[in-house]
Amino acid sequence: MEQNEQPRRKASFAASMKAVFWSFFGVRKRRDYEDDAVNLNPVHVIVAALLGVAIFIGVLLLLVKLAVAQ
């Protein structure tokens, strides 16, 4: 591989979702982090993070709605 050539990104969107999920908890092994940095597509990570935040907010709103209804 030439020095200026970008590494090929070969991880799927599901792998990006998994990495973002574990990152929300702050639990990542250094080896996994390094693999993610090489293999994950940055666009997939951004979309996965936005989706994760939306799900998190939805769950919080649902819990608040249930607590207030009691």
Side-chain angles (χ1 to χ4, degrees):
M1 184 171 6
E2 293 182 24
Q3 189 175 18
N4 293 338
E5 189 176 327
Q6 294 270 340
R8 293 190 58 161
R9 310 274 183 193
K10 49 192 170 230
S12 66
F13 183 72
S16 296
M17 284 297 294
K18 179 181 171 187
V20 168
F21 173 76
W22 286 114
S23 295
F24 276 6
F25 290 107
V27 180
R28 293 295 287 163
K29 293 180 183 175
R30 182 175 189 88
R31 184 177 144 261
D32 291 339
Y33 170 76
E34 291 169 356
D35 288 342
D36 290 345
V38 172
N39 294 322
L40 292 180
N41 183 340
V43 175
H44 287 176
V45 173
I46 292 169
V47 171
L50 292 174
L51 186 61
V53 167
I55 291 169
F56 180 72
I57 290 171
V59 168
L60 286 178
L61 290 173
L62 179 66
L63 290 174
V64 168
K65 191 173 185 175
L66 290 173
V68 171
Q70 297 291 329

